[in-house]
Amino acid sequence: MNLIIVGKPGAGKGSVAEVFKEKSDIIHLSTGDIFRKEMKEHTTLGELALSYIGKGQLVPDSVTNDIIYKILEKNPSGSYLFDGYPRTVNQAECLEQMMEKLNMKLDLVCDLEVKDDLVIFRLSGRRVCKSCGTIYHVINHPPKKDGICDVCNGEVIQRADDKEEAIKARLNVYQNQTKPLIDYYKAKGLLRSVDGDQSALDVYLDIMEILDNEKGR
Ligand code: ADP
Ligand code: ZN
């Protein structure tokens, strides 16, 4: 099974992916996570990615498409959960070509719907452990000791792109570049909307129900 989760920044794509990983053997493919790992290791790709991500802009499609192809090509028979990719219509078209070439099938695209004010609350309060990636929130889920990770004692920081200016830029990028994807997949009959205001577990359960219903058809 191959599944794409789309939604605004802060819609909770990563949290839902965590639930999927816990409950199935799906491979979580997050381009954001890939870029963050490269940035942490200061690789050439990481430095390039940082020059876009820090400003809330998208990394160029050609770079991102290449990364995905290299991963899929190694294991085309796996089940993938795409999180944060595709993010532009160009990426979606490219993914379609890659999947065709590798004999893969896209089963479902879930649009996680959340309101803008919730997104801003989630992102501006989000903090993340620099070492292990555990996600916190200053109000909903603060670490027990200020600035220190509960899991690994690492430093808990704010992502460069969670600063206010970058959040605004990301929401604009979403409107202009990512939202057209919704219509693209709607036209293909692959799109289903899911309420993103609920917990990640409930979102997961909704998606599983949709998948079950689709199978029954
Ligand atoms: P969010 O969905 O919360 O914005 P992500 O972790 O998915 O966070 O992405 C963080 C940043 O990484 C994005 O703002 C963008 O700059 C870059 N990025 C991630 N995925 C892509 C992609 N598919 N294409 C281009 N840039 C991407
Ligand atoms: Zn940690």
Side-chain angles (χ1 to χ4, degrees):
M1 178 194 67
N2 294 301
L3 176 68
I4 295 175
I5 300 190
V6 294
K8 288 174 195 162
K13 302 184 291 288
S15 310
V16 173
E18 287 304 317
V19 180
F20 267 91
K21 273 201 300 195
E22 230 171 74
K23 305 209 175 277
S24 68
D25 55 6
I26 204 156
I27 303 165
H28 178 208
L29 211 52
S30 158
T31 37
D33 284 352
I34 294 171
F35 292 137
R36 274 186 290 280
K37 181 166 177 285
E38 299 286 333
M39 289 191 288
K40 197 173 146 192
E41 292 167 2
H42 298 282
T43 62
T44 313
L45 171 60
E47 298 298 319
L48 176 87
L50 180 63
S51 67
Y52 294 95
I53 292 177
K55 291 184 233 152
Q57 295 169 356
L58 295 185
V59 177
D61 284 343
S62 56
V63 176
T64 313
N65 288 330
D66 254 22
I67 293 173
I68 295 292
Y69 188 71
K70 282 188 187 126
I71 295 173
L72 296 182
E73 151 186 75
K74 274 188 209 141
N75 179 18
S77 58
S79 284
Y80 291 90
L81 172 67
F82 295 90
D83 157 14
Y85 179 91
R87 229 176 173 92
T88 62
V89 171
N90 170 289
Q91 290 180 13
E93 286 166 352
C94 191
L95 177 64
E96 198 172 309
Q97 286 163 13
M98 296 191 272
M99 289 183 116
E100 204 174 284
K101 200 164 157 192
L102 298 169
N103 242 320
M104 295 171 68
K105 178 176 159 269
L106 178 58
D107 297 280
L108 192 70
V109 180
C110 286
D111 176 25
L112 259 187
E113 290 186 317
V114 284
K115 295 187 197 77
D116 262 356
D117 37 354
L118 183 63
V119 157
I120 292 168
F121 170 79
R122 283 182 181 170
L123 292 180
S124 57
R126 177 161 70 181
R127 299 292 182 272
V128 49
C129 171
K130 218 174 154 179
S131 308
C132 74
T134 299
I135 292 169
Y136 298 93
H137 188 279
V138 287
I139 293 166
N140 286 347
H141 175 42
K144 290 196 182 77
K145 273 188 243 155
D146 200 24
I148 296 168
C149 177
D150 296 349
V151 180
C152 77
N153 281 322
E155 191 189 349
V156 173
I157 56 154
Q158 185 175 39
R159 267 167 51 174
D161 56 340
D162 283 344
K163 307 244 154 81
E164 202 178 320
E165 281 312 302
I167 292 176
K168 282 188 200 144
R170 285 159 71 199
L171 286 173
N172 275 333
V173 166
Y174 174 81
Q175 275 299 332
N176 298 329
Q177 292 178 262
T178 308
K179 224 171 159 206
L181 273 186
I182 309 274
D183 290 329
Y184 178 86
Y185 284 121
K186 215 180 253 172
K188 294 192 179 288
L190 285 167
L191 190 89
R192 301 291 178 273
S193 293
V194 179
D195 176 8
D197 288 353
Q198 43 180 358
S199 74
L201 179 63
D202 286 332
V203 172
Y204 164 82
L205 292 172
D206 277 5
I207 296 176
M208 292 314 287
E209 200 182 312
I210 294 171
L211 283 167
D212 268 354
N213 289 340
E214 300 288 316
K215 257 187 241 152
R217 279 185 197 186

